[in-house]
Amino acid sequence: MKRHRPLPSPAPSSTTGTPKPTITHYYSSKKPKTPLLLLPDLKQTPKWIPLNLPKSELYLPLTFPTGQTFRWKQITPFQFTGVIGPHLISLKHSNQTHVSYCLHNNTSQSDARSKLLDFLNMAISLTDLWSDFSAADPRFAELAGCLSGARVLRQDPLECLIQFICSSNNNIKRITQMVDFVSSLGNYVGEVEGVAFYEFPTLERLAEVSEEEHRKAGFGYRAKYIRGTVEELQSKPGGGVEWLMSLRKLDLESAVEALTSLPGVGPKVAACIALFSLDQHHAVPVDTHVWKIATRYLIPELAGKKLTPKLCSHVADAFVERYGKYAGWAQTLLFIAELPSQKALLQSLNETVKDVKPEKIKEEEGS
DNA sequence: CGGTAACCTGGGAT
DNA sequence: AATCCCAGGTTAC
């Protein structure tokens, strides 16, 4: 049996002060506490403002830590903090139900609120969508009952692009490190519970970072992708940011074609950017998880095959055929249900009900 | 055009 | 201990 995890004391970091341990899920209060006696009420007690949303419209733990963004930090199980434009914002569930937000820095309240609602894609009713998906697919209905409130965000295209270039053939932990590095190039906007937050850097700022610096920061071969993409964007006549934003007005195929012209952006990454930032609601990012889902339920005849770029579009088509023009939103839930963390939960939920109806459990044997 | 081998890096399995 | 394999893929032969 393996040795237990070392005690919570900091690892014997060798020489110079290595960066602090990688961020995991929670930021427990190991940080130097502010001296209690010295803080009167003057310290900004955050003002929580209700959003009046049921958790069926927005459930934070199924929206933020699920791979759409690596910029938001989980402060407690039910509070997430991140930056939208210049605004440092926290979101939390009170009573584990309704959602409230607070603004930590001294920016315009009204602008923060409107940008937040936009970021949360609140113009779209998740419950309406899911009722359609459930009608089209009883299996979706079953999952939806357990995992409600998994919403697709509407992120800034540049932020989204850079994040997903980092994500390719990579794991969550390192993606987060890399995104943290890029973020730290932007303007500092404040800290919450010991975690520093930054605006996302501008294209100009990104252009100041060499491939070599990114390599040293641990980007591996993605360093040249970042560099190349930033340069490519800067060469766009009307400006790179404007060019990216203009993709929101194109159809999905054209948007994907434009995106994949950038180095480090293939079909999967392009679909992520399209869905998570460009209003392409039927974009379906096909990765290994989605491939498994698809070959199990949607196109079983392809089970066992290896996932090739060609098959990616086939899978995406199958999703659209089944779920319609918001197929990307359906995919999001199905994807989340595949995550190990959620699977464990679903499993335990299932077992309490299992005894009642054995049904047929044969099907997959395989190999 | 479709199929394959490198590609940075770190952790876990063999 | 040395390798292999894999992780929300893309690129170049």
Side-chain angles (χ1 to χ4, degrees):
Chain A
M1 186 190 289
K2 294 249 169 176
R3 176 178 296 277
H4 279 289
R5 198 170 270 284
L7 292 179
S9 58
S13 59
S14 49
T15 51
T16 50
T18 32
K20 44 186 176 286
T22 337
I23 305 86
T24 48
H25 270 347
Y26 304 94
Y27 296 89
S28 55
S29 46
K30 282 284 156 108
K31 301 284 166 184
K33 287 230 185 245
T34 322
L36 284 172
L37 295 178
L38 294 183
L39 81 94
D41 299 339
L42 304 176
K43 185 76 179 171
Q44 73 267 20
T45 313
K47 186 178 64 172
W48 291 94
I49 304 169
L51 275 176
N52 297 318
L53 297 171
K55 74 174 185 195
S56 54
E57 277 298 330
L58 173 61
Y59 189 59
L60 304 173
L62 290 179
T63 298
F64 285 90
T66 54
Q68 308 187 50
T69 173
F70 303 90
R71 292 250 302 151
W72 283 66
K73 305 304 177 190
Q74 188 158 19
I75 301 295
T76 72
F78 292 104
Q79 178 180 337
F80 294 79
T81 302
V83 181
I84 302 173
H87 309 292
L88 176 55
I89 295 176
S90 286
L91 287 161
K92 77 167 182 187
H93 287 286
S94 6
N95 320 322
Q96 295 198 12
T97 57
H98 287 66
V99 183
S100 309
Y101 73 95
C102 81
L103 180 58
H104 295 280
N105 56 353
N106 191 23
T107 53
S108 158
Q109 277 283 352
S110 61
D111 186 62
R113 185 183 177 95
S114 77
K115 285 203 164 66
L116 173 61
L117 293 176
D118 184 75
F119 177 75
L120 294 175
N121 239 333
M122 289 315 307
I124 292 168
S125 162
L126 193 58
T127 46
D128 287 354
L129 246 36
W130 282 24
S131 112
D132 289 347
F133 298 155
S134 296
D137 177 9
R139 196 173 47 82
F140 184 100
E142 194 177 336
L143 290 174
C146 309
L147 303 173
S148 75
R151 174 168 283 278
V152 170
L153 299 170
R154 185 170 194 260
Q155 302 181 60
D156 175 79
L158 178 61
E159 275 192 46
C160 199
L161 167 63
I162 302 297
Q163 291 188 81
F164 281 94
I165 288 178
C166 294
S167 79
S168 73
N169 192 19
N170 206 349
N171 58 69
I172 305 286
K173 183 181 157 196
R174 192 152 76 107
I175 298 167
T176 305
Q177 281 178 207
M178 290 158 63
V179 169
D180 284 347
F181 174 84
V182 172
S183 298
S184 73
L185 301 168
N187 293 326
Y188 175 80
V189 292
E191 60 95 16
V192 174
E193 295 294 317
V195 184
F197 288 89
Y198 304 84
E199 270 179 78
F200 198 79
T202 62
L203 209 45
E204 294 71 35
R205 178 72 185 97
L206 288 171
E208 293 171 7
V209 185
S210 67
E211 174 183 340
E212 187 53 31
E213 286 173 276
H214 273 127
R215 285 249 171 201
K216 272 187 280 188
F219 282 62
Y221 58 78
R222 300 164 199 84
K224 67 175 180 301
Y225 295 159
I226 302 278
R227 184 73 189 161
T229 284
V230 167
E231 279 173 1
E232 188 77 27
L233 286 176
Q234 285 198 302
S235 78
K236 300 295 180 190
V241 167
E242 291 73 10
W243 180 82
L244 276 176
M245 208 58 89
S246 75
L247 303 183
R248 282 181 169 168
K249 296 194 274 289
L250 300 184
D251 57 279
L252 176 58
E253 291 68 30
S254 310
V256 167
E257 189 185 348
L259 288 169
T260 50
S261 74
L262 301 169
V265 182
K268 157 65 165 56
V269 168
C272 287
I273 300 164
L275 176 62
F276 300 141
S277 75
L278 297 178
D279 302 329
Q280 304 289 347
H281 303 299
H282 63 292
V284 178
V286 181
D287 55 42
T288 50
H289 293 282
V290 174
W291 175 242
K292 273 197 290 186
I293 298 169
T295 53
R296 236 179 326 180
Y297 306 109
L298 248 40
I299 39 182
E301 63 272 22
L302 294 180
K305 294 202 154 202
K306 219 174 72 176
L307 179 54
T308 63
K310 177 65 170 284
L311 289 179
C312 279
S313 50
H314 189 333
V315 173
D317 290 347
F319 268 84
V320 174
E321 212 170 296
R322 167 73 79 147
Y323 299 106
K325 53 183 192 291
Y326 283 82
W329 288 60
Q331 176 271 349
T332 295
L333 172 66
L334 298 175
F335 172 79
I336 289 171
E338 283 297 310
L339 295 176
S341 48
Q342 302 304 330
K343 259 188 153 164
L345 262 169
L346 288 173
Q347 181 89 11
S348 58
L349 282 178
N350 255 330
E351 297 194 343
T352 60
V353 192
K354 200 92 164 216
D355 320 307
V356 190
K357 38 187 264 187
E359 295 294 337
K360 49 178 178 183
I361 314 183
K362 18 181 84 177
E363 314 302 348
E364 66 172 2
E365 289 282 273
S367 74

